[in-house]
Structures are given as C-alpha cells and as structure tokens.
Amino acid sequence: MKKLSARRRHPLAAVVVLLLALAATGGLYAAFAPAGKAQADDTSQSLTIKEGKKLYEVGCASCHGTGGQGSSDGPSLVGVGAAAVDFQVGTGRMPASTSEMAQLPRKKVSYTQTEIDQLAAYVASLGAGPSVPTKDQYGPAGADIAKGGELFRTNCAQCHNFTGKGGALTKGKYAPSLEGVAPKHIYEAMQTGPQNMPSFPDTTMSEKNKKDIIAYLNAVNGDETENPGGLELGGVGPVSEGLFGWIFGLGGLIVVAVWVAARTAKAKKS
C-alpha cells in the first residue's frame, strides 16, 4: 500500500493530470465552438454565389457584361445590391424581352425564388448595395397607416396617384399601379429606385416610414376597404371625377334646362 501511495504522488502525476484536463477542454471546445457553423454558412453562401454566377452567365451576361460591368445593352450591376435583383427579376421585368421599350413592364417571372436568391447573391458579391429586406422591415406590425398615407401623398402620389393606381409620364413612360404588388417588392423599389423612380434609402426615408407607406397601400387597396366618400370612381383621381361631372352633372343640368324651356313654351301657347 505504501508503494502504491508513493506512485500516486509521483512528481509527474500532476503534469499528466494537467495535460489530460487540457486535452479534454480542447476537445469540448472544438466540439461546441460556433466556428464549424460559421464555416458551414460561408460554404453555403459560396455555393449560392457560384450557382448564381452560372445563372448570370446564361441569362444576364449578354447585356450586363461578363462581370456585371454593363454594356451598350444594359447598365452596370456593380453596387446595385441584392434588393435590385430581387425586385427586377422577382417582378418579371428582367430578363427583358427587348431593350427598345420605353419602360420594362411587370410580367410572368422566369426564375424560381431559389434561383432569384442565387442571382441576387452573385450580383451582391460584385459590390456592396441594398440587401433584400426581411418581413420585419415591410410587415404590418407596428405600422402607422395614417402616417403612411401622409408620406405617400407627399412623396409618391404625384406619379402613382393618391391610392397607388398608377399614372402616365412623358415619352411613353408611366408610374405602374401598385395594386397586387408584394410588400417586399414595394420596399425594394423604394430602396433602389427602379427605372424612372427616385430612390429612398434609409438616410432619406427611414425603415419605419417605408413600413408605414406599405401599410397605407395595403389598407387602401384591400378587398374589404370601405370608401367613406361613397363611390370611388375607380380611385384614379380628377380625370374620372371630372368626366363623371361633365357627363352626369352637366348633362343633367342640360336636361333640366330643356325641360323647363319646353314647359315655359307650352305654357305660353296655352
């Protein structure tokens, strides 16, 4: 027993115990450290960009250049960000059927959402730009509809009409209707300023203000919206209201005037 006790207190025993403890600690850290997850995320992002580059080379490079630098047929995509790609491709405006139109219309989408995400990731890798917004940024939670209406009428109604019905611009261009447009795409349009539209980055219009505008558009274009003013006449502004006034208002006055004149003439004869 004395011999065993002496071996347990050997001077190297403490060193051996310390080495075993360090090895165990290192193993546990390697097993639970987040580095593995970060590496997996980086690998996944790299694969997404790689797949996006393949899609880009097939469907976009002929107009926008092999490296997104642009050409005579398409603008540069360096620095436009993922949000611009998600908007343009997600609304069917890209790929364009022709470059001779005054403005690219919304049409059937050519890519799946996964492919759009891959294209967006690749274009984002070419240069920093606005990222695709999250649902928290454009969702209705916490939005102020009244404030959104005020902001929309101040900044957007001149082109899109006060209820987002759209309107004509110059040289064949137009402000498209916002009815049925996904909230995410409305947010992205404000971020990136597609075609004739000015951009409203967060430095110009806050994230909260964008959310308020989207909530207002959802309210005025909702299926269950009741117009407190009665018949909305399409909600397209003074043109339809003026036409209604001329045809029915002025027309009614003419009918009444003719009727009064006829009655007066008949009375005089009798």
Side-chain angles (χ1 to χ4, degrees), residues 25-90:
T25 302
L28 290 172
Y29 179 81
F32 295 102
K37 185 177 183 298
Q39 290 176 355
D41 290 343
D42 290 343
T43 302
S44 176
Q45 183 67 6
S46 298
L47 290 174
T48 300
I49 293 172
K50 185 177 180 180
E51 292 301 317
K53 184 178 181 181
K54 292 179 182 177
L55 292 169
Y56 177 89
E57 290 172 346
V58 173
C60 314
S62 59
C63 292
H64 295 286
T66 54
Q69 73 276 14
S71 71
S72 58
D73 295 322
S76 171
L77 298 182
V78 178
V80 300
V85 178
D86 192 74
F87 172 82
Q88 296 286 358
V89 183

Side-chain angles (χ1 to χ4, degrees), residues 184-239:
K184 178 179 71 167
H185 292 149
I186 295 176
Y187 193 102
E188 289 169 341
M190 288 189 279
Q191 276 187 307
T192 61
Q195 302 187 106
N196 304 294
M197 180 176 169
S199 61
F200 296 92
D202 290 344
T203 53
T204 303
M205 180 180 288
S206 69
E207 180 181 308
K208 176 65 166 57
N209 287 160
K210 293 188 185 76
K211 177 188 286 232
D212 293 340
I213 288 176
I214 293 171
Y216 166 74
L217 289 171
N218 288 340
V220 297
N221 292 321
D223 295 335
E224 299 179 358
T225 301
E226 294 183 3
N227 193 328
L231 183 63
E232 66 172 7
L233 302 177
V236 294
V239 174

